[in-house]
Every structure is written in structure tokens, then in C-alpha cells.
Amino acid sequence: MSENTHHDMKSVNVGLQGSTPAKQECLSCRIIGTSVLAGTGSYAIWQSRTAAPGTPVQKRMLAGLGIVLVVAGVFRWRKTSQCKSNLPILWST
């Protein structure tokens, strides 16, 4: 285990114990997570249109799933938690 990795794990453990405040989530994590959820939800909504193949029940289920994913993307954007990656923090709220 390298010294840098050991230092990162030590800071995470300290943050979990509550002796120091946890880092805010990095902007790139928020953008990627929100984009994936909203993009997948938008695609599901697009596939539920009347011209797409499938039964009306399948289209309603797909539209519901799409709405849930888009709403999850909104909540994902608004959520501020600790970033699990080693990417630098670009912006904090």
C-alpha cells in the first residue's frame, strides 16, 4: 500500500468518526451522476411514445420508469455527500 493511499484512507476514517467535517462532493461526480440518471430517464420517456414498438402497458411502465429516473437525477444533483473517488474537489456548495 502506498503512502498516499494510506493517507487517503486515514482521512476518510477521520471523516467517518466525525472529528473533522466530511468533504463536499466533487462537481464532476455530481455532473456525471445526474447526467446518467436524467439521460437514461429521458431515453425511457422517449421510448414510451406512441410511435415506439410495444404494448400500451409496456409504454406506461417505461414512462413511469423514465419519470422516476429523471426525478432521481434531480435529487442526485441536489444531494451533497462525500465523494468516493480520488478526483479533486472542483466546487462545493
Side-chain angles (χ1 to χ4, degrees), residues 6-75:
H6 178 67
H7 175 69
D8 291 341
M9 292 179 71
K10 185 177 179 182
S11 65
V12 168
N13 288 335
V14 169
L16 292 175
Q17 294 171 357
S19 57
T20 60
K23 293 184 201 177
Q24 294 293 321
E25 185 172 33
C26 60
L27 179 61
S28 60
C29 295
R30 291 176 70 187
I31 290 172
I32 292 169
T34 301
S35 300
V36 167
L37 286 168
T40 305
S42 299
Y43 181 74
I45 292 170
W46 176 256
Q47 289 299 316
S48 69
R49 69 192 190 284
T50 55
T55 66
V57 173
Q58 290 172 333
K59 291 178 185 184
R60 283 189 210 124
M61 289 172 45
L62 202 54
L65 176 66
I67 290 169
V68 167
L69 288 171
V70 169
V71 169
V74 171
F75 281 115

Side-chain angles (χ1 to χ4, degrees), residues 70-91:
V70 169
V71 169
V74 171
F75 281 115
R76 173 73 178 96
W77 177 255
R78 298 184 71 189
K79 178 183 175 187
T80 55
S81 65
Q82 186 174 356
C83 185
K84 304 273 190 253
S85 71
N86 292 330
L87 297 173
I89 297 175
L90 301 175
W91 179 62

